Amino acid sequence: MNGDCDVNPSVHDGHRTAALVLAGGRSSRMGQDKALLTLPMAGQTGEALTLLQQTCSVAERCAAHTYVLTPWPAKYASRLTSTVILLKEEAAGAGPLVALAQGWSMILAQSQRRDQEIPDWLLLLACDMPALDTTTIQQWQEQLKTIDENAIATLPKAGDRWEPLCGFYHRRCIPSLNKALADNIRSFQRWLATETIVPLSSADSNMLRNCNTPVQWQQFLDFINARNP
């Protein structure tokens, strides 16, 4: 059962990193569940992967424990490996900043209940980023060893805006995050603007693309087809 299984060991345990995949959006602009869109490229076993499966596959290569936060755990349970831990999102529709806070709270509680090491870092990933690259994220992860101890997160940046749904958040972000929510802040950009954030080395801009609409999804498919004629 996806909530109470043993997890894969990770070569990155020295960083005590967990991963949280957000799958709580209603996909209203897409017209169908984004998490279940099928990628044109096959997985390691040759089968077609959904966006959620692909994101979890990347996460599991970068973290000792991978969690999916969603209001609909039963819908996804049979589609994920037994090593992915499903968490029930209680504040559905409240936005990703609230989801990050809830995810941290539930992961800390689970770690204590299972007598596991508490993660120092949380890799936060949206489930609608089809071009995630494991190697790039692992290279970013190596930088965690030298992050300023005052920094609460390390994230890629596009122009003057942080990319908050593809990066690492330290456990010390929790007091500031909870205060922001108590002050009715729901914007990642507003919260992060008040904190010390370390920019990650630039990534291929395609890796950070997300797909919220049929047009964006088709653009991604066209990009893949052009790259692999």
Side-chain angles (χ1 to χ4, degrees):
M1 181 73 181
N2 291 73
D4 293 299
C5 56
D6 293 332
V7 294
N8 281 333
S10 168
V11 296
H12 302 290
D13 280 353
H15 302 317
R16 293 208 296 262
T17 302
L20 178 66
V21 178
L22 301 184
R26 298 190 179 279
S27 304
S28 55
R29 286 185 288 168
M30 182 63 72
Q32 59 181 303
D33 190 345
K34 292 185 294 183
L36 299 182
L37 289 173
T38 302
L39 290 161
M41 51 279 200
Q44 289 182 321
T45 60
E47 82 285 7
L49 296 178
T50 66
L51 268 179
L52 180 58
Q53 289 171 327
Q54 166 68 4
T55 306
C56 289
S57 177
V58 171
E60 289 199 282
R61 294 187 182 98
C62 301
H65 305 86
T66 294
Y67 301 85
V68 172
L69 183 66
T70 177
W72 315 287
K75 178 166 68 168
Y76 300 130
S78 65
R79 302 172 186 268
L80 299 174
T81 65
S82 62
T83 52
V84 174
I85 303 168
L86 284 156
L87 303 175
K88 170 76 179 216
E89 186 173 356
E90 297 170 354
L97 197 64
V98 173
L100 174 59
Q102 183 183 339
W104 257 124
S105 176
M106 297 180 77
I107 289 168
L108 294 180
Q110 289 227 2
S111 298
Q112 293 170 345
R113 178 170 64 85
R114 298 179 181 190
D115 198 26
Q116 297 169 346
E117 281 193 324
I118 294 174
D120 292 323
W121 290 94
L122 189 62
L123 170 61
L124 185 67
L125 296 171
C127 74
D128 61 352
M129 302 177 74
L132 286 177
D133 178 63
T134 302
T135 300
T136 298
I137 294 176
Q138 288 177 340
Q139 290 171 348
W140 287 347
Q141 191 169 14
E142 287 299 312
Q143 300 176 36
L144 301 181
K145 301 173 183 177
T146 58
I147 292 295
D148 184 331
E149 64 180 14
N150 294 315
I152 66 160
T154 179
L155 303 168
K157 202 170 189 181
D160 61 353
R161 292 178 63 83
W162 297 106
E163 296 285 351
L165 301 184
C166 183
F168 295 87
Y169 293 83
H170 196 274
R171 191 172 70 246
R172 58 179 163 261
C173 80
I174 295 173
S176 167
L177 174 57
N178 289 337
K179 183 180 184 303
L181 295 179
D183 292 340
N184 205 33
I185 292 173
R186 296 295 184 269
S187 161
F188 265 101
Q189 304 301 328
R190 282 188 62 195
W191 173 49
L192 296 172
T194 68
E195 301 295 334
T196 300
I197 314 298
V198 174
L200 287 166
S201 54
S202 59
D204 179 350
S205 60
N206 180 66
M207 192 189 97
L208 299 175
R209 75 159 73 200
N210 59 4
C211 295
N212 290 311
T213 68
V215 170
Q216 291 173 337
W217 179 242
Q218 187 59 52
Q219 288 172 341
F220 170 72
L221 296 178
D222 292 343
F223 169 81
I224 292 297
N225 291 334
R227 191 173 65 176
N228 303 299

